[in-house]
């Protein structure tokens, strides 16, 4: 590698390496300087962070049941919500009625998390456990739904899914002030 001595206008002497070496040393610094950085004003927090819900579901399978439940979900990014819910109700199976229970863990992907449209579709997947006829069973869960406009501080959603049979439900979620 060849070094050369240069003199600046102020009279200071400096050693200058070849042009490739200088660009190789300065290039990453320029890249870091131009890279986007998160600013405090760009940080977006949904309010309230914890979103409560009440739900009524009809589950069609073996056995068919109706359940009332409650749940909670939190944001896991702009577009994703993590939720957990529990529900209980009655089932009709082989001519007799019995008690049923269910717990769901669901990840929902929202297509309109910032409430730019009146109706906001979503889809999700998760796990469900159900107790019917004194047996606990686990299922994979897939859901699709649409949330409507805010009324009285609550947002109504209609949801369908598959997980141990077909399910359909009405969900009331506490409305967030700055998104879904």
């Amino acid at each position: 590698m060849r070094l050369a001595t240069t003199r600046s206008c102020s009279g200071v002497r400096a050693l200058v390496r070849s042009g490739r070496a200088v660009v190789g040393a300065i290039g990453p610094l320029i890249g870091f300087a131009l890279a986007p950085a998160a600013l405090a004003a760009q940080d977006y927090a949904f309010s309230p962070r914890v979103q409560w819900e009440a739900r009524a579901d009809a589950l069609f399978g073996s056995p068919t049941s109706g359940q009332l439940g409650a749940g909670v979900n939190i944001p896991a990014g702009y577009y994703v919500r993590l939720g957990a819910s529990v529900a209980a109700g009655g089932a009709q199976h082989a001519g007799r009625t019995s008690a049923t229970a269910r717990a769901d863990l669901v990840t929902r992907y929202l297509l309109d998390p910032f409430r730019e449209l009146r109706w906001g579709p979503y889809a999700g997947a998760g796990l469900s456990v159900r107790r019917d006829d004194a047996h606990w069973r686990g299922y994979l869960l897939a859901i699709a739904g649409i949330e409507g406009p805010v009324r009285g501080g609550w947002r109504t959603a209609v949801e369908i899914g598959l997980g141990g049979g077909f399910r359909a439900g009405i969900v009331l979620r506490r409305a967030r002030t700055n998104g879904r």
Side-chain angles (χ1 to χ4, degrees), residues 55-70 85-93 98-104 106 127-132 135-143 159-171:
R55 55 187 312 125
D57 296 298
L59 290 83
F60 303 96
S62 181
T64 298
S65 65
Q67 297 179 338
L68 297 176
S85 63
V86 294
Q92 186 73 15
H93 186 66
S98 63
T100 64
R102 179 181 96 237
D104 296 335
V106 178
L127 300 172
S128 180
V129 291
R130 255 172 90 175
R131 180 176 167 81
D132 299 313
H135 296 92
W136 284 98
R137 294 184 185 106
Y139 301 101
L140 293 177
L141 179 61
I143 62 165
E159 194 173 279
I160 59 171
L162 295 171
F166 177 77
R167 60 172 70 187
I170 304 275
V171 185

Side-chain angles (χ1 to χ4, degrees), residues 146-161:
I146 188 162
E147 285 185 341
V150 176
R151 295 227 167 119
W154 292 86
R155 185 178 299 280
T156 304
V158 177
E159 194 173 279
I160 59 171

Side-chain angles (χ1 to χ4, degrees), residues 95-112:
R96 62 182 175 80
T97 302
S98 63
T100 64
R102 179 181 96 237
D104 296 335
L105 294 174
V106 178
T107 301
R108 291 185 300 130
Y109 181 81
L110 308 178
L111 295 177
D112 179 28

